[in-house]
Amino acid sequence: MKHWVKAFRLRTLPLALASIGMGAFLAASSGQFNGGVFTLCALTTILLQVLSNLANDYGDSVHGADGAKRTGPSRAVQSGVISLKAMRNAIILFSALSLLSGIGLIYLAFGWSPQVFGFFLGLGVLAILAAITYTAGYKPYGYMGLGDISVLIFFGLVGVMGSAYLYEQELKWEYLLPAISTGLFSVAVLNVNNIRDIESDKEAGKISIPVRIGRKKAVIYHWFLLVTGFALGLTYVLMNYTSYWQLIIVLALPGLIKNARAVKMHTESSKIDPFLKQMALTTLLYVILFGVGQLVG
């Protein structure tokens, strides 16, 4: 059991919860929060994240990215504590659980409205496919440098705006600012991971953004993600400013600066690794501060 818990990579869950948390805070600030929807939304998100982690473990082991030179936490399949067959079965199980939880969530939010139900079911299926095919399959898109775009879409646009729609059943375009903001911070977490693994990814043929542009430009790209993400969130706050309480999001700045400086200063993979978790927690803190500011303000 401990090997499975480790394979679930629980330290990634704060990032997964950040996007649906942002959507919940936005809906709550409009008086549209629903506890049941939030519970099922959180459950579905956690199941999808665990599915993604298991598929990532499986795919990177099969394609060779989890070789001996990789510095991050050891993977279950690569280290031999979980077999390929067992991991494949776990991927199937969590795909089914994610789908069932998602169907329950859609029904609770919309009932059996055919058009809306079908649309969100399609989004759910796409999310499952995206989670699996990031590193698994014949041509995993993560090996072509498309992981950043996928994270921006699913952790930003879909995660925030989609979850807000579950509560409000209304598409508000001004939510694009906090949605992209959260998405960019999520991409930053992936970028820390990819900078850490740049050498092992090169050898495995995994052409991540850092591999494609080099470490120096990847650090500049990292600063761009953090600065732009925070600027978009602050812009939304100023556009909807009613109280100084909304400015408490600036308390997330020290964590963002610390992460950006660490990525620039540290060149050893082992020293970069702790800042993956730190960036994920900083993203969640940013979302909480943003949400509290909106509710109190």
Side-chain angles (χ1 to χ4, degrees), residues 217-236:
K217 290 182 179 178
V219 171
I220 297 174
Y221 173 57
H222 196 70
W223 277 91
F224 166 79
L225 294 172
L226 299 185
V227 171
T228 305
F230 186 80
L232 290 176
L234 184 61
T235 299
Y236 180 88

Side-chain angles (χ1 to χ4, degrees), residues 182-199:
T182 307
L184 289 176
F185 288 154
S186 301
V187 174
V189 176
L190 177 62
N191 195 50
V192 175
N193 179 86
N194 290 339
I195 290 175
R196 181 198 66 189
D197 295 341
I198 191 167
E199 295 302 324

Side-chain angles (χ1 to χ4, degrees), residues 3-9 50-62 66 74-95 132 135-136:
H3 296 308
W4 282 108
V5 172
K6 189 174 181 180
F8 291 166
R9 293 168 63 194
V50 171
L51 169 63
S52 177
N53 293 339
L54 295 178
N56 188 251
D57 191 306
Y58 176 88
D60 276 346
S61 297
V62 169
D66 284 345
S74 62
R75 298 296 179 86
V77 173
Q78 184 269 335
S79 61
V81 296
I82 295 176
S83 68
L84 280 172
K85 181 179 179 181
M87 189 61 78
R88 280 196 299 267
N89 290 337
I91 290 171
I92 294 171
L93 173 62
F94 274 88
S95 296
I132 295 174
T135 58

